[in-house]
Amino acid sequence: MPMFNLTSLRLCQLCDTSPRSKAGVCLDCWRSLPWFKQEVLRQEMQIWAACQYDYPLDRIIQQFKYQQQLHYQTLLSGILAELKYVGVQAIVPMPLSLPKLAERGFNQSVLIAQSLSHKLKAPIWQPVLRHAEHSQKGLTRQERLINIDSQFYLAPQQSLRCKRVLIVDDVVTTGSSIRALADQLEQLGCTHIRAACLAVAK
Ligand SMILES: [Zn+2]
């Protein structure tokens, strides 16, 4: 009797025709993601971006976040784990405010950081919390930055555990949230703060 390998019969999550090869998708689909794998400069911070925020990744991220398509965690987490970086003591996912967390049920940045956390043997660390976002409408650029800055605060009784940290976010546009989070981590005493995201928007 030939042995059946059940996992080899599972089909790619994107094209649904070829067998899965990596992170829940087939090799063709994996290769045709909008790969970028470069650093971009935002708010005076170098942010490593795995991909461009383009098709099909833009739709996948939206379905993951807003339609609870959580089976994409394997793929998104696998994409971020392409980052090769040593010396990280902890991964700090971009925090969500409590109302947003309650509405969505999960923090997408925590989920997409899982594979990278295993690979780098660096735990997920959440020393910074976030207030509910206020509308940015009608604010000047300067006011927007102050508005974002005031959203982040240190969790009570937080003592420094890790100095070398990596911030993880899903999609980066202006980079102002990452900057504001990095400022809090600096206040806490972190000395090496790097940032990585799944996708960077043009
Ligand atoms: Zn495929």
Side-chain angles (χ1 to χ4, degrees):
M1 281 287 285
M3 291 288 287
F4 274 104
N5 180 354
L6 281 176
T7 56
S8 70
L9 297 175
R10 300 182 72 194
L11 295 175
C12 168
Q13 286 188 341
L14 294 180
C15 66
D16 220 14
T17 51
S18 304
R20 290 182 192 188
S21 166
K22 189 165 181 170
V25 299
C26 73
L27 216 51
D28 274 352
C29 287
W30 178 258
R31 285 186 184 136
S32 56
L33 289 167
W35 289 109
F36 185 57
K37 295 189 181 179
Q38 289 176 45
E39 286 194 321
V40 292
L41 190 66
R42 295 281 191 280
Q43 314 289 336
E44 294 162 18
M45 279 199 72
Q46 296 279 354
I47 302 168
W48 186 86
C51 291
Q52 305 262 19
Y53 191 59
D54 285 330
Y55 182 85
L57 190 61
D58 49 357
R59 292 198 194 170
I60 295 169
I61 292 174
Q62 285 170 23
Q63 288 171 4
F64 178 70
K65 273 166 79 170
Y66 305 117
Q67 294 165 29
Q68 275 77 37
Q69 302 284 311
L70 294 181
H71 60 279
Y72 284 134
Q73 184 190 354
T74 317
L75 174 61
L76 298 179
S77 175
I79 291 172
L80 198 71
E82 289 291 295
L83 172 62
K84 295 181 177 52
Y85 186 61
V86 289
V88 176
Q89 291 175 315
I91 293 178
V92 180
M94 179 57 64
L96 276 192
S97 66
L98 282 178
K100 247 198 181 149
L101 194 61
E103 180 194 335
R104 191 169 297 166
F106 59 93
N107 177 342
Q108 72 277 3
S109 296
V110 172
L111 298 188
I112 62 177
Q114 297 293 345
S115 292
L116 191 63
S117 169
H118 288 143
K119 185 181 155 191
L120 302 180
K121 297 189 173 58
I124 303 277
W125 186 36
Q126 298 177 278
V128 178
L129 305 176
R130 190 169 189 171
H131 293 298
E133 285 109 292
H134 300 292
S135 170
Q136 299 271 59
K137 267 187 203 154
L139 298 184
T140 64
R141 190 173 172 275
Q142 195 59 28
E143 286 168 336
R144 278 168 196 256
L145 290 178
I146 293 168
N147 189 26
I148 288 176
D149 253 354
S150 60
Q151 282 173 17
F152 294 86
Y153 61 102
L154 288 176
Q157 287 153 11
Q158 196 56 241
S159 58
L160 181 67
R161 203 148 53 90
C162 304
K163 287 193 168 182
R164 305 175 68 93
V165 297
L166 178 74
I167 293 173
V168 161
D169 202 356
D170 55 351
V171 181
V172 166
T173 47
T174 65
S176 42
S177 321
I178 287 187
R179 179 72 261 171
L181 175 56
D183 289 345
Q184 291 293 327
L185 292 169
E186 265 170 25
Q187 277 188 34
L188 189 59
C190 296
T191 49
H192 292 75
I193 303 167
R194 299 282 301 259
C197 66
L198 259 187
V200 63
K202 281 169 216 155

